Amino acid sequence: MPARRASRPHAPAALGLAALALSFTFVGCPCLSGPVNASPGLRWFLFSNFGASRICPEMLKSGVSLRLQDRAPAIGRFFPMQCTYDVNDTAQTVTVHITGTGYGYMQPAKRVGFSLTTSVEYRPDFQIAGDDIYVWGRLNRIVQGPSFQLGYVENPVIDVMANVPPFGGLANVLGNQIVAGEMTRGFTVLYNEDAGKDFTLGILMPPQRPHHPFEVSDDERYTFANEVVEVQAHQRDYLGPFEIADPDQALYLKISVQGAPVDIMIVDKPTGDAWREAYQTGKPLGLPPGPVQAGGPLQPGMVDTRRYALRPGLYYVVVDNTAAAGLVAPPVTLLSPLGGSAAQVSYLAQIGE
């Protein structure tokens, strides 16, 4: 019989099954890599006893980006709020049950808020390749759902027509194709004790590595994220949250923007949770409901690298392309008198001393 375990939802977070690779660091000794790689039974034993319990806590830590296609900029984010899992020792599978909310941007609906519930069965495995550990979650089957519930729709015409084909199908493509599609691709986690974890949807085999906008050369910092996001005019993206676990640690951001200038605002998790909830449910755009810890304007064409000394805790990095907060606003152009310039933001988020 499958064993059922639960995890309390203590934070919005991500489809980041990423850091369960941390559970396998104890087998990083070269003397163990050969026997482990050669034995599927031993790998399942290690996963089921030491890795499976990490799935839900890691999924409930940070948001996962949503893309229209591989290597395209992120156009939204999904935040799991509740997570449980079942381990089936006979079939050597793990089923993850997820409920969460999120937002995305796509024409003509513009900003869309949604909730989603699904159960996905993965067939996990891993391989030790030198100093790297590759962890895979291959899709075995969709157990339930995905049940996608459309919430706020910014475009009032599409909002009224949300349940009328073809407009309903157009709006729901965010859930039925993008969110569900991302989850069913499987995932690869590449873990290195010095460099941190790297996560990508889809299956990569050693020595393949995920594609990123920035090359990481400092192996004394732990990498949270290294990606490109697209933030349309009058929109935001809530990156993270990222965890500062020790008073001696700091958040390092390397970031650049093409297109419109944006504001970068770092807020603590309680402030970011409330601000994000208002954003994805269509409340009026406004100031953050709490203090901004750090940040500032970011102009196009420059690469900004900064160290943010923050107290231990979880922090969102908010990319703001609105006139409602921050110091810059979407520029007005002849082609778009209401302001319509998108910002394409490349960023690298790390933690270090």
Side-chain angles (χ1 to χ4, degrees):
M1 291 287 294
R4 184 174 184 83
R5 292 97 163 180
S7 174
R8 289 180 178 271
H10 61 278
L15 196 59
L17 296 170
L20 67 91
L22 294 170
S23 305
F24 304 131
T25 56
F26 70 95
V27 298
C29 170
C31 61
L32 294 178
S33 60
V36 170
N37 288 341
S39 174
L42 178 56
R43 294 197 302 274
W44 171 252
F45 172 83
L46 293 173
F47 171 80
S48 60
N49 285 276
F50 300 100
S53 62
R54 300 295 299 273
I55 292 176
C56 283
E58 293 303 328
M59 292 185 70
L60 294 171
K61 277 188 178 178
S62 60
V64 62
S65 51
L66 305 176
R67 292 176 171 79
L68 292 171
Q69 58 187 14
D70 193 29
R71 295 198 180 188
I75 53 89
R77 222 157 278 274
F78 174 59
F79 295 82
M81 305 293 290
Q82 296 177 349
C83 174
T84 60
Y85 70 97
D86 304 325
V87 172
N88 189 322
D89 287 314
T90 302
Q92 295 190 355
T93 60
V94 58
T95 301
V96 184
H97 312 275
I98 307 163
T99 298
T101 63
Y103 57 85
Y105 186 97
M106 50 190 307
Q107 293 288 4
K110 303 177 76 172
R111 185 180 356 131
V112 172
F114 64 88
S115 61
L116 182 140
T117 300
T118 190
S119 298
V120 182
E121 184 179 73
Y122 293 104
R123 190 171 295 280
D125 202 356
F126 69 97
Q127 180 177 330
I128 303 170
D131 293 331
D132 299 322
I133 302 175
Y134 283 76
V135 180
W136 301 293
R138 292 181 170 87
L139 174 70
N140 198 53
R141 65 190 177 106
I142 303 294
V143 178
Q144 182 179 357
S147 175
F148 178 79
Q149 182 65 48
L150 189 64
Y152 170 71
V153 180
E154 184 176 6
N155 186 330
V157 175
I158 299 299
D159 191 12
V160 171
M161 301 293 291
N163 295 316
V164 180
F167 300 102
L170 179 61
N172 279 286
V173 72
L174 184 66
N176 297 333
Q177 294 186 23
I178 298 177
V179 179
E182 293 288 81
M183 296 176 66
T184 56
R185 289 174 58 192
F187 64 89
T188 301
V189 180
L190 175 58
Y191 179 77
N192 182 290
E193 188 173 3
D194 294 324
K197 67 175 182 249
D198 205 349
F199 173 80
T200 187
L201 293 165
I203 304 298
L204 296 182
M205 303 299 294
Q208 292 177 304
R209 292 183 177 273
H211 173 77
H212 295 303
F214 290 114
E215 180 179 350
V216 177
S217 58
D218 191 338
D219 60 5
E220 294 184 357
R221 296 178 188 168
Y222 186 88
T223 298
F224 287 121
N226 189 354
E227 64 172 351
V228 181
V229 302
E230 187 169 86
V231 185
Q232 299 289 333
H234 315 295
Q235 308 298 326
R236 297 187 178 115
D237 201 359
Y238 294 79
L239 313 178
F242 306 120
E243 184 176 18
I244 304 295
D246 189 278
D248 296 329
Q249 294 175 336
L251 177 66
Y252 288 83
L253 278 181
K254 184 176 184 179
I255 190 165
S256 67
V257 61
Q258 297 178 7
V262 295
D263 282 291
I264 305 298
M265 289 175 277
I266 299 176
V267 297
D268 61 25
K269 182 183 174 299
T271 299
D273 284 348
W275 203 14
R276 177 177 65 82
E277 175 68 14
Y279 176 75
Q280 66 190 30
T281 55
K283 302 296 191 299
L285 295 173
L287 297 170
V292 175
Q293 305 291 327
L298 182 64
Q299 297 297 327
M302 61 179 291
V303 177
D304 188 72
T305 302
R306 296 190 185 184
R307 176 184 184 273
Y308 297 99
L310 302 166
R311 295 180 179 179
L314 290 161
Y315 296 90
Y316 284 93
V317 176
V318 182
V319 181
D320 183 274
N321 190 12
T322 79
L327 301 177
V328 299
V332 176
T333 67
L334 293 177
L335 295 178
S336 182
L338 297 179
S341 297
Q344 189 169 107
V345 180
S346 302
Y347 77 98
L348 170 67
Q350 298 178 300
I351 190 174
E353 295 183 351

